[in-house]
Amino acid sequence: MRSPESPVLSISGLIKDVGPLASLDGKMLRVVNGVSFVAERGQVTALLGANGAGKTTTIECAQGLQKRNGGSISLLGQDPGRAGADLRSRVGVMLQDGGLPPSARPIPLLRHIAGMYARPRSVDELVERLGIDTFARTTVRRLSGGQKQRLARASALIGNPEVLFLEEPSAGLDPQSRQRGFELISELRATGVGIILTTHLMDDARRLADSVHISDAGGTVTGG
């Protein structure tokens, strides 16, 4: 059995190639080159870097959404590339683009997602906490960027995850919603959730993270 003290995520020597691309004479392009870092339970781990640095690809490999070409990944003690429903039920994911059905309305969507989990969080509590009640009657396609972010965050939290992935969690948020998000992340960390976030904002990383790993040209160049 996995120890409570063990990392929620461990990545060692991750390699990811894409292609082939005509512009590169049919050769594969290496977009992640030897990334290694560890994310602990009850801590916020930030992967910081400019757009195109390989942050999103790294996290998608960690979630099992993309197949890696090399290296090893352990997510809650399992290989996410071979993950079954049990592992996925313990992981929350908030993508930057949301990935939400455009014709759905927020509250019915959250109740539908909650029904997929054995012990979901209260939909009503998340709706109130994230201010979703203010746009509850609006379909996803008509929501602003910040409203979609709040709904995506609620969707990621509804299953009471042990580990939470947040991609650019402050993108499109007004100052009040941003502050709410920071407070919620701090509370989740205090309950023992392991949180991995990607951002290009140094201020977010400095304010939220217990450890920061900087990605540059597909590799982790510093950490701490």
Side-chain angles (χ1 to χ4, degrees), residues 100-136:
L100 303 170
S103 61
R105 285 183 168 81
I107 295 177
L109 174 62
L110 291 175
R111 295 200 188 283
H112 174 73
I113 296 172
M116 300 179 182
Y117 293 93
R119 293 178 295 276
R121 289 184 64 151
S122 165
V123 171
D124 292 340
E125 181 263 330
L126 281 175
V127 165
E128 180 179 0
R129 182 69 187 275
L130 296 175
I132 293 171
D133 51 330
T134 61
F135 52 87

Side-chain angles (χ1 to χ4, degrees), residues 57-79:
T57 301
T58 295
I59 294 306
E60 288 182 351
C61 288
Q63 296 162 358
L65 299 178
Q66 291 200 45
K67 292 184 178 180
R68 62 188 183 272
N69 296 97
S72 63
I73 302 175
S74 174
L75 177 62
L76 293 174
Q78 300 183 46
D79 183 344

Side-chain angles (χ1 to χ4, degrees), residues 50-220:
N51 292 334
K55 303 187 306 297
T56 297
T57 301
T58 295
I59 294 306
E60 288 182 351
C61 288
Q63 296 162 358
L65 299 178
Q66 291 200 45
K67 292 184 178 180
R68 62 188 183 272
N69 296 97
S72 63
I73 302 175
S74 174
L75 177 62
L76 293 174
Q78 300 183 46
D79 183 344
R82 302 173 183 173
D86 174 67
L87 177 59
R88 298 194 183 282
S89 70
R90 299 162 64 194
V91 178
V93 177
M94 190 191 88
L95 302 175
Q96 187 174 5
D97 63 8
L100 303 170
S103 61
R105 285 183 168 81
I107 295 177
L109 174 62
L110 291 175
R111 295 200 188 283
H112 174 73
I113 296 172
M116 300 179 182
Y117 293 93
R119 293 178 295 276
R121 289 184 64 151
S122 165
V123 171
D124 292 340
E125 181 263 330
L126 281 175
V127 165
E128 180 179 0
R129 182 69 187 275
L130 296 175
I132 293 171
D133 51 330
T134 61
F135 52 87
R137 301 178 66 85
T138 307
T139 59
V140 169
R141 67 164 55 91
R142 296 184 180 278
L143 297 180
S144 68
Q147 289 170 339
K148 288 179 181 177
Q149 281 283 79
R150 282 188 268 169
L151 180 57
R153 182 169 293 168
S155 300
L157 293 173
I158 200 72
N160 264 324
E162 295 176 47
V163 57
L164 178 64
F165 290 94
L166 300 173
E167 185 177 1
E168 300 290 352
S170 293
L173 296 180
D174 59 76
Q176 183 178 15
S177 296
R178 188 167 179 258
Q179 179 60 34
R180 282 183 184 175
F182 287 166
E183 292 171 357
L184 185 56
I185 289 171
S186 295
E187 290 174 15
L188 290 167
R189 173 175 52 192
T191 65
V193 177
I195 301 170
I196 300 98
L197 63 87
T198 66
T199 183
H200 64 280
L201 300 175
M202 180 63 79
D203 181 60
D204 279 12
R206 184 183 299 113
R207 180 168 180 177
L208 293 172
D210 298 287
S211 61
V212 178
H213 303 272
I214 301 174
S215 181
D216 182 42
T220 304

Side-chain angles (χ1 to χ4, degrees), residues 18-29:
V18 298
L21 301 176
S23 61
L24 297 175
D25 300 321
K27 296 181 180 179
M28 300 291 283
L29 173 64

